[in-house]
Structure formats: structure tokens, C-alpha cells
Amino acid sequence: MIRFENVTKAYGSFTAISDLSLDIHQGEFFSLLGPSGCGKSTMMRMLAGFESVTSGRILLDGVDLTGMPPNRRPINMMFQSFALFPHMNVARNIGFGLKQARWRKRDIADRVDEMLALVQMENFADRKPHQLSGGQMQRVALARSLALKPKVLLLDEPLGALDKKLREETQFQLMDVQDRLGLTFIIVTHDQEEAMTVSSRIAVMKDGKLLQVGEPSRIYEHPANAYVADFIGNVNLLPVRISATDGELIDVTWGNGRNMVIRPQPEDRLSAGAQKTLVLRPEKIHVSKERPEEAFNINMVEGVVEEISYIGSVSTFHVRLDDGVLIRAQEANRLLASRREIDWDDRVWLSWRAGACVIIES
Amino acid sequence: MNRRFNTFNLTALTFGFGFLYLPLLLVIIFSFNDSRLVTVWGGFSTKWYAVVLANEAYMEAAWITLRIAALSASLATVLGTLSAVVMVRMGSFPGRTLYSGMIYAPLVMPEVVTGLSLLLLFVAIGIDRGFWTITIAHVTFSMCYASVVVTSRLRTFDRSLEDAARDLGCSPFSAFCQITLPIIAPAVMSAWLLSFTLSLDDLVIATFTSGPGSTTLPMKLYSSVRLGVSPEINALSTMLIGIVASGVLIASLVNRRQERRLENETRAAAPA
């Protein structure tokens, strides 16, 4: 539906987006995720029409958008600051786009009521923006940007101005609205958790390039490279050498000649002797004081707890192995913290299954 | 309390007030003087106001002055606002430094120089000097003040509001008229009032650019004073002081109200 074709955007000698191609489909909740300055906002502003494309082109339903000003594109945007017009009340804010499109007064009023109902703000039609809370402003901004029935809605860090509790609530509200209207939503965010929660697909960006595009679970479980693995959540990245490649489980060596069995992906093309990086997520590692039972598909190592960070639901253990490698492992706090069995400087066993880790290029 | 109202502070305050307002106060007091002699108090009276209001030459000068002030303030506000938009919005363009220099130059340029250069211009292009030349001359210097006032407001204006308007279907011009202008209206208003009082005050530039039949009130006042100070001049001056003071007062009140509202809005717009 939306297609970026070899899009490049340069500001003088600085290249914000370089030769980027991307397809976004009808009805998707698509996230552009990356650190600040990665070009994600530039992508959105080019799509909305506030920035021109230096080379390449952007197509919407096969129509080239190049040179089309923002007021002519069937795309609307929700701004990070919400950008509600302070001198207009909620109803006039929502009806603003309809008035520009010269809708009849009656039709505007009906559509505004419909949008107010959609975001559950029926009782606030006469309020001015400065009389609303952050969450209410966000909902008005959403209603305003949906009033014109755009084909695509762009959301620029839509929840950045809200506190954490409200953010979670709003995430689900956004997903609900998107689901009900069947629109294409494109969200720009630097918050990986937010991107994982709301989107059907994520594009991870860095320095104006796409690193990986895929479903949240794909990006989390099978990152394309070390940067993506590290950007999305916590991770242990271990350099490994493939020692045997035959069979369903293969052997790799890591650390000081330590051995590990892993279950490779069908698409991994591994050859013996190759140097790779192993991605092992902390929550996939079990921490115990007793040595776990031996099994052919379980890896286990012993080390000393160096640090415990407690964040309520889970605790992360920093465990230093005897050969100096540091591994982070995460355990759900099934017991009260005061009853925790593992403490600083304890010797513990770390264990994980062969299928819990993936191999990526170094 | 003593720290605020000690002798030193009070002395400083007295001197400050004295230097600023004592001369004005004298003019105001003696405008209500019953006596013909300017500096001898002869009892309270408003008769000099009646004399002034009955003097057709004064009234005509006042009428011209007000017309010039209103017209030049309006033109200056439009031009000043446009130049503020250019300065804040266009980023860098060739000649930007020159442009901003030219905007601020009249603020520091001696009035005599401005007046003289305008006079030379009008003579060179052969316009008859009079009402219009004074108006144009006033626009050239008061638009700088207007521009400064509007620029400072535009700098804090959230660009995304205009982007949002464009996103919802406005052309750049229509977004400016429907969104930006109403929001910065108080600043534009105070720019107008400032330009208005500046034009009302001006003697030097008006002297250079006026012609026959277009004597402004300050010019009239000045030429009368040269023939001797009469009590009616006190009355006239007091009226001028009143107009100018209320202009400045309204401008600052409008500005302060706007600042307070802006503060409320930003506080409301920034959730904890």
C-alpha cells in the first residue's frame, strides 16, 4: 500500500535516510523504531509531506506522492506535542479538517460527535485544550487526526508525553481503534516495549538505514544482527565457534573452550569452524543453587552472583563465570524478595535449553 | 521589612521617581492652573482645556496626528509581522544578516539621520511632502519596533501547530491566518499600540518629512513653545501624556495577560 522506493534524504552533506526501500501493507500497525537521530521522524515527515525526498519516491496505492503538499495527501498525522489549537474548543479542533474540506455544517457536527464517541470524550466538546489532562489531549488529537477518514494515520511518539500507567492504557486504546477502523497506522517511537506491544510489524532503524523489518516476536527472538539484538531488550551476546554442524543439535565452543549444544534454525547456514555470535536472552536462563539434572539438550555453567537488580516482577542476576565471562540471567520473583534463596556472592548454576538461543553473524 | 524599606532604598526610589516624573507632574499640575502665568499657582481650573479644545489649529493638528498614527501603526504592524515571519521561519537565506541588520538599524539610528535620509529620498523621487510622506516615514521606523515585538512571540510559537493545520488541509497562508495569527494576536496588538504611540510622539522625523498643511501636534507644540510657554500648552501636553501613557499601559497589560495565559497553557500542556 505504501512503498518507499530507494528513498534518500540529505540535508546538505548529512544523509538522514540513505537508499531505503520499504513496503507497508493495508491495515498494518507498523512501527518505525530506533534511537533518536536514526531518521525515523524524517521518514514520517516525508510521508506526511513536510519534508521533500532528495531521491527515490514514495507511493501510496500506486500513486507517486512526490511534490504533493501535506494538505493534499490522504494521510493524517498525530503530533508528539498533540498540537491542539489552543484558541479552539475540542469540537472545533476535531472539526477543523472537515471545515477546510468544506463539509456542510450539519455533516461536520455529526462527524465530530462520532469522533468524540470513538474516543469517549462526549462530555468535553466545549472544553479548551488547556482545560484537559494529558491523556484527554491525546484522545482529542487522535480524534482530530481520524476525522478526515485518512487512508493512513501517522503517529509521532504518540505516547511520549504521557506517564507510564496512562501509556499502557492508551496503547490498548490505540490498538482497539486501529482494529475497529481497519486503518493503516504507522507509529514512530524509540520505546521498544511500546513498539512490541502495539505493532504487527516493526522496522528497526539506525543511521538512516533499515536493520530489520519483521513481526515483534521475529525481531526479538531472531534479530538480524547484534545491534538489533541489543536494542530490543536485554541480551547476552557471546562469541562462539561452530565445532560440528551435523544433526538436529550442533556443538559450538565459547569462552575458554567451553562446549554448548544449540538447535540451529533451518535457514542458518553454518559451517564448521565459522565464528558467529550467539544471542541468549536473560529470561531464557534458569538460575539455581543446585546443579540441574543432566540432559542431552541442556547447557549448564557455574558462576558467582556479582549483582542482583530487583525490579519487582523480575530480578536480573549478573553472574561471573569462572573464566571471567559475565552472563545476565533473569528469574521471575516467585517468592517474596525477603525469602529469596540466592544472594550476592553465592555460587549458582545457570542452565538453558539448546533451543533457547539463536546464532547470528558476528 | 527593614531590608526593603531602608534609607538607601528609599532615597534611590525617590531620586528615580523624581527624575522620571517630576517634570511631567509639574506640567500636569500647572495645566489645571487658573493663572495666566505659567509658573505661579492661581487656583484650580480646567479652563485651559476648554481653550485648547476651542483652538482650531490645535485640533486640526491633533486630527492629522491621530490619522497618521493610526495609519502608520497599521501599516507598520503588517510589515513588521511579515518581517518577523521571515526572520523566524525562513532559516538562513542569502542576505539574511543584512536583512536583520536593516530591521534593527532604525532602533539605534539617530532620528536626525533617519529623517534626513527620508527627506532626501522624497525630494529625489519628487513626492510632495505632507500627510503621506510623514506616514511613510513613521512606518519605516515603527515597523522595526513592531517586528521586534512579534519576532519574540513567534520564536516561542510551536511550529507543529501550523504543521497540524497543514496536515488537516490548510495551505501555508491559510494555516497562518487561521492558526498562527489568532494565537499571536496579543503580540500583534501590542506591536500596533507601540507603533501608534511612537508615531504620536515623533517630532524630529515629522519635521523633516512634513509639508505645508500637515503640521502634527508635537510640531505645533514645539513651535508654540518657541513663542513662549502658555498654560494651554500645559493642558495640551497633559492630554498627550494621557494618550501615550494609556497606549503603553494597554500594550503592556495585553502582553502580560498573554504571558500569563501562555504560562497556564504550557503548564497544562506538560503532563507530569
Side-chain angles (χ1 to χ4, degrees), chain B:
Chain B
M1 266 315 184
N2 260 342
R3 280 184 57 197
R4 285 178 57 207
F5 291 105
N6 60 28
T7 325
F8 179 71
N9 284 0
L10 285 175
T11 317
L13 186 68
T14 314
F15 268 97
F17 262 128
F19 270 88
L20 284 172
Y21 293 115
L22 202 59
L24 292 181
L25 200 64
L26 276 179
V27 167
I28 293 171
I29 290 172
F30 279 105
S31 73
F32 295 105
N33 193 357
D34 195 33
S35 158
R36 261 214 85 72
L37 297 163
V38 180
T39 49
V40 181
W41 184 252
F44 181 85
S45 149
T46 54
K47 71 174 182 192
W48 299 116
Y49 286 90
V51 171
V52 168
L53 292 174
N55 185 326
E56 267 183 35
Y58 280 145
M59 283 304 103
E60 203 196 311
W63 179 230
I64 289 177
T65 311
L66 285 176
R67 267 157 58 211
I68 290 177
L71 190 61
S72 71
S74 307
L75 287 172
T77 308
V78 172
L79 289 173
T81 305
L82 291 179
S83 76
V85 170
V86 168
M87 290 302 293
V88 178
R89 292 297 166 75
M90 264 181 69
S92 64
F93 57 90
R96 185 181 204 279
T97 318
L98 183 70
Y99 189 73
S100 74
M102 291 313 284
I103 286 182
Y104 289 109
L107 299 181
V108 291
M109 193 75 81
E111 282 184 314
V112 181
V113 176
T114 312
L116 187 64
S117 58
L118 282 162
L119 174 64
L120 289 178
L121 174 78
F122 293 140
V123 170
I125 56 178
I127 303 181
D128 285 335
R129 274 165 288 136
F131 179 84
W132 285 104
T133 48
I134 302 178
T135 307
I136 293 171
H138 282 183
V139 170
T140 53
F141 80 89
S142 52
M143 81 167 259
C144 310
Y145 291 87
S147 163
V148 169
V149 172
V150 178
T151 300
S152 71
R153 175 63 185 94
L154 265 186
R155 280 197 203 288
T156 58
F157 184 82
D158 181 7
R159 277 302 294 273
S160 61
L161 289 176
E162 243 175 61
D163 282 349
R166 296 209 55 204
D167 190 54
L168 293 167
C170 286
S171 67
F173 178 69
S174 142
F176 181 79
C177 293
Q178 292 192 65
I179 304 301
T180 314
L181 212 49
I183 296 175
I184 64 167
V188 175
M189 172 87 182
S190 61
W192 190 90
L193 283 167
L194 187 63
S195 307
F196 183 80
T197 41
L198 282 170
S199 167
L200 218 57
D201 280 353
D202 171 67
L203 169 66
V204 178
I205 292 176
T207 312
F208 273 103
T209 52
S210 72
S214 63
T215 309
T216 66
L217 201 54
M219 286 165 71
K220 186 85 195 158
L221 211 63
Y222 184 66
S223 59
S224 316
V225 169
R226 279 196 298 189
L227 303 174
V229 182
S230 68
E232 61 198 78
I233 287 177
N234 286 341
L236 191 56
S237 306
T238 306
M239 284 153 85
L240 259 184
I241 292 171
I243 295 175
V244 171
S246 43
V248 172
L249 200 70
I250 293 172
S252 76
L253 281 179
V254 166
N255 240 345
R256 194 182 304 169
R257 232 192 67 198
Q258 179 201 15
E259 266 166 29
R260 204 172 301 149
R261 216 184 58 193
L262 200 71
E263 208 173 272
N264 284 340
E265 274 163 19
T266 33
R267 205 183 302 136

Side-chain angles (χ1 to χ4, degrees), chain A residues 295-358:
Chain A
F296 75 99
N297 63 345
I298 287 191
N299 301 291
M300 56 184 77
V301 290
E302 206 183 357
V304 175
V305 176
E306 226 171 46
E307 190 71 60
I308 304 173
S309 60
Y310 169 82
I311 57 158
S313 55
V314 295
S315 292
T316 304
F317 299 88
H318 291 211
V319 177
R320 180 76 64 185
L321 306 187
D322 299 337
D323 53 8
V325 177
L326 185 76
I327 302 247
R328 275 170 295 182
Q330 208 170 57
E331 281 283 327
N333 290 325
R334 290 184 205 89
L335 293 175
L336 295 175
S338 54
R339 309 236 174 89
R340 189 172 56 204
E341 291 158 345
I342 300 166
D343 219 331
W344 275 267
D345 298 329
D346 280 355
R347 274 194 88 76
V348 292
W349 285 91
L350 302 177
S351 54
W352 62 95
R353 289 167 173 274
C357 38
V358 288

Side-chain angles (χ1 to χ4, degrees), chain A residues 8-18 42 51-55, chain B residues 92:
Chain A
T8 296
K9 173 72 188 175
Y11 298 100
S13 60
F14 172 72
T15 310
I17 304 287
S18 60
T42 309
E51 303 277 353
S52 59
V53 176
T54 309
S55 71
Chain B
S92 64

Side-chain angles (χ1 to χ4, degrees), chain A residues 234-254:
Chain A
N234 258 320
V235 73
N236 296 296
L237 293 171
L238 307 170
V240 297
R241 205 170 65 85
I242 313 294
S243 36
T245 59
D246 42 338
E248 211 178 317
L249 299 181
I250 62 169
D251 289 331
V252 299
T253 53
W254 63 293

